[in-house]
Amino acid sequence: METMDILESKIKETLSKKTKLEAEHKNLSEEILKLRESIEKLEKQRDDLEKEKDDIKHKLDGVIEKVQIYLSRSEA
């Protein structure tokens, strides 16, 4: 009977570890999903900022060109 008690104890211990590992796996999977969502959000923000930066650069180039034209006309 002692052997059965030992086996039962080992089975309970193993099942407990399995349950803990499954819970940890679930938590880690959820955390990975959150991280992926955060990365996608950051990439979108980066892309938006790049587009905004390019728009500002284009506008500044236009202003510089107009100032250069104005200056070249005023020199003549």
Side-chain angles (χ1 to χ4, degrees):
M1 192 64 173
E2 213 174 286
T3 305
M4 291 299 284
D5 291 339
I6 292 171
L7 285 173
E8 184 179 343
S9 173
K10 292 287 184 183
I11 289 171
K12 286 181 180 178
E13 183 181 330
T14 302
L15 288 174
S16 175
K17 286 181 182 178
K18 181 182 180 238
T19 303
K20 288 177 184 176
L21 286 172
E22 287 172 342
E24 187 175 340
H25 180 270
K26 182 180 180 226
N27 289 338
L28 289 172
S29 294
E30 290 172 357
E31 194 66 30
I32 288 170
L33 181 62
K34 289 177 187 176
L35 287 170
R36 284 185 178 148
E37 289 171 352
S38 294
I39 288 170
E40 288 174 7
K41 184 178 177 182
L42 287 170
E43 286 175 342
K44 184 183 181 318
Q45 288 175 347
R46 181 199 63 205
D47 292 345
D48 291 345
L49 287 173
E50 278 294 319
K51 184 178 184 281
E52 186 177 341
K53 176 184 161 190
D54 290 343
D55 290 346
I56 291 171
K57 184 179 181 305
H58 180 72
K59 288 177 184 177
L60 281 173
D61 287 343
V63 169
I64 290 169
E65 185 178 332
K66 288 178 183 177
V67 169
Q68 287 175 333
I69 291 170
Y70 174 78
L71 289 174
S72 68
R73 287 182 182 166
S74 66
E75 288 176 356

